[in-house]
Amino acid sequence: MRTIKDYIQHVKGHIRNKEAHDSVEKELTYHLAKSKQAWQENGYNETDAEQQAVLEMGNATNLGISLNQIHQPKIDWLLVIPFLLAAMCSFLPLLPAELSLRDFIMRNIVIVIAGIAVAMFLMRFDFRKLEHYSTHMYILACLLFLIVLNGNEAIYGVIFFKAGPLEIQGWMTLPLFLISFAGLFAKQKKSLWSLLILYAIGAYCYMRLPDIHIFCTYTAIVATLFYASNFSRKQKLTITVAFSLLFIAFIGYLMLAPLKPYQLTRLQTIYTPGLEDNPTVLFISSVMKQLAWFGTSNQPFAGGAHTDFVLLTILQSYGIIAGVIVLCILGFIIYRIAHTLGFIHNEYGRLLMIGGLAFLTTQIVYQVFMLFGLVPVMSMPIPFISYGLFPMLLGSVAIGLTLSIYRRKLYI
């Protein structure tokens, strides 16, 4: 005579995906318990009712083979392929000889391989294990910031800590904050005020860094997670009004405060008819006006051609068609992540994907708007394509977490 426990163990023995075992066990236990109860109500004793429930469920071997096919790990190739294409596009700004950046190609190969490896590792990693360490991730991010802000190295005003080959920089805390806040917002009993304080601590740390785009990206991630969470509409409206008033007060302070000339120059970066004397804005405007379908110039943008203004370099060197293709690849990545969200029922997994989506969308949209003079010009790399560890590895983390969630969407 086979008991319910023996039956479930036999079924699980045919399922190769170990991560699905708990889900299968819970589901079978529920159905067998309901069946057993029904047989007991029909007059069977407990032992006979359990036996009838097992017989009613069918052959354990056949069921296990069937469930094994259902619970095979899934790979979202519609996300993997555009991710790989976007990573390959990172070589485009490095190919023109005039950039004198061909020495960077070998290093970029290593960066791309590292990014793909990170994405594949996270895809196989069970994201649900991270939720239990949300608070630990936040504390670790703050500790890393203490190390960075007291760093022993500085390049172009960017402070970081270096010990031999090990480098700790401020941008490395972004994935920690993403994982942390996704877990904190997923907890229903978490106080809104405590979350605001945690955000403020992180915001203060990022404002100590010279790269304002990291602060903007951090704020976009936390804000998106907040609006996607289960807080009430009243709470969301209250926070929106409060931050809007703070922003207006900050702008008013900038208008009335006695700013120094170099501070005014930093603020005057939006391309308007009265600001043509700004060399960066003027150059971007002139290049955008001279674009052709297949490239117009052999003189790519000198400053940040392969990092902050990588899209402008691609447009100028390869033409509008190449730029549109690159944007279509990035746009499809955003669409695919957003589309997958509709199939995710795990709250933590859903918020992780939304946070990653906010990271990617913020940087891509800002880069495009900047080229058309709709937002201030500032350092804002494009994920996967801009040269360096920051855009590749952080983008890979977002892709890897999404693939991890998609891989387990049938049993979470």
Side-chain angles (χ1 to χ4, degrees):
M1 182 181 67
R2 177 173 289 174
T3 64
I4 289 178
K5 183 177 180 181
D6 292 336
Y7 181 86
I8 293 175
Q9 290 298 323
H10 187 91
V11 171
K12 288 165 55 178
H14 292 277
I15 302 175
R16 295 182 181 178
N17 185 4
K18 304 299 182 182
E19 295 177 1
H21 282 191
D22 289 342
S23 175
V24 170
E25 182 173 355
K26 289 179 181 178
E27 184 177 359
L28 289 178
T29 301
Y30 171 79
H31 288 296
L32 287 168
K34 294 288 287 184
S35 179
K36 176 182 175 181
Q37 181 181 358
W39 284 106
Q40 285 180 304
E41 292 175 354
N42 288 333
Y44 284 76
N45 60 43
E46 183 177 356
T47 302
D48 292 340
E50 184 170 349
Q51 182 67 22
Q52 290 298 323
V54 169
L55 292 173
E56 188 178 42
M57 186 62 69
N59 185 276
T61 300
N62 294 337
L63 180 59
I65 294 173
S66 176
L67 290 175
N68 178 61
Q69 294 176 348
I70 294 175
H71 290 288
Q72 286 289 345
K74 308 294 182 181
I75 298 178
D76 188 2
W77 292 106
L78 290 179
L79 182 59
V80 171
I81 292 174
F83 162 61
L84 296 177
L85 290 176
M88 295 302 102
C89 289
S90 64
F91 291 95
L92 292 178
L94 305 176
L95 295 179
E98 294 78 6
L99 283 175
S100 300
L101 292 173
R102 293 196 171 183
D103 292 340
F104 288 71
I105 292 179
M106 291 304 299
R107 187 180 178 187
N108 194 60
I109 292 174
V110 176
I111 291 174
V112 169
I113 293 174
I116 295 174
V118 167
M120 295 302 102
F121 169 78
L122 289 176
M123 179 186 71
R124 298 184 63 86
F125 183 80
D126 189 351
F127 74 94
R128 293 171 294 181
K129 296 179 180 179
L130 296 173
E131 185 175 8
H132 304 295
Y133 300 98
S134 300
T135 304
H136 301 79
M137 291 290 184
Y138 185 90
I139 295 173
L140 178 59
C142 292
L143 291 176
L144 288 179
F145 253 122
L146 288 177
I147 296 174
V148 170
L149 296 177
N150 294 279
N152 54 5
E153 295 283 345
I155 299 179
Y156 301 116
V158 179
I159 301 174
F160 60 94
F161 177 82
K162 185 174 182 180
L166 175 66
E167 290 187 7
I168 302 177
Q169 301 185 27
W171 62 263
M172 295 178 179
T173 59
L174 266 180
L176 298 177
F177 278 126
L178 167 59
I179 295 170
S180 172
F181 276 103
L184 294 173
F185 277 112
K187 296 179 180 179
Q188 301 295 327
K189 297 182 180 179
K190 202 67 179 179
S191 168
L192 177 58
W193 290 108
S194 64
L195 290 172
L196 287 175
I197 293 173
L198 293 177
Y199 161 75
I201 294 173
Y204 170 77
C205 293
Y206 281 119
M207 291 179 70
R208 295 281 304 275
L209 300 177
D211 295 324
I212 191 174
H213 74 88
I214 303 180
F215 164 74
C216 295
T217 305
Y218 165 75
T219 300
I221 291 173
V222 178
T224 305
L225 289 174
F226 169 64
Y227 287 111
S229 67
N230 292 320
F231 283 104
S232 66
R233 291 184 179 180
K234 182 179 179 181
Q235 290 174 308
K236 294 177 181 178
L237 179 61
T238 301
I239 296 300
T240 301
V241 172
F243 272 86
S244 298
L245 292 176
L246 285 174
F247 179 75
I248 294 173
F250 177 71
I251 297 299
Y253 168 77
L254 291 179
M255 296 176 64
L256 299 176
L259 298 178
K260 297 180 180 180
Y262 77 91
Q263 292 174 317
L264 288 172
T265 302
R266 288 183 179 180
L267 292 175
Q268 293 178 344
T269 54
I270 301 178
Y271 179 67
T272 62
L275 295 176
E276 289 92 342
D277 55 339
N278 184 290
T280 302
V281 174
L282 179 61
F283 187 88
I284 293 175
S285 176
S286 63
V287 171
M288 291 295 290
K289 291 176 182 178
Q290 297 173 11
L291 292 180
W293 293 108
F294 299 100
T296 58
S297 172
N298 293 323
Q299 300 295 327
F301 193 67
H306 58 305
T307 53
D308 302 330
F309 302 99
V310 63
L311 183 57
L312 184 68
T313 302
I314 292 174
L315 286 168
Q316 185 182 27
S317 301
Y318 303 98
I320 296 175
I321 292 179
V324 170
I325 292 174
V326 170
L327 289 177
C328 285
I329 293 173
L330 296 173
F332 187 82
I333 291 175
I334 293 175
Y335 162 77
R336 185 60 188 174
I337 297 176
H339 176 74
T340 306
L341 274 172
F343 303 97
I344 305 303
H345 304 292
N346 180 279
E347 181 65 10
Y348 178 63
R350 187 180 70 88
L351 290 178
L352 269 181
M353 288 181 62
I354 290 174
L357 187 63
F359 165 74
L360 298 175
T361 304
T362 298
Q363 298 202 333
I364 294 171
V365 171
Y366 196 98
Q367 177 86 199
V368 175
F369 281 11
M370 186 172 64
L371 295 185
F372 288 95
L374 301 176
V375 292
V377 175
M378 70 175 182
S379 174
M380 182 65 80
I382 292 185
F384 317 117
I385 298 178
S386 293
Y387 177 80
L389 282 173
F390 171 76
M392 176 56 69
L393 290 188
L394 291 191
S396 298
V397 168
I399 295 297
L401 290 174
T402 300
L403 292 173
S404 175
I405 298 165
Y406 181 89
R407 183 183 178 90
R408 298 162 178 85
K409 65 184 178 70
L410 292 177
Y411 49 89
I412 58 175

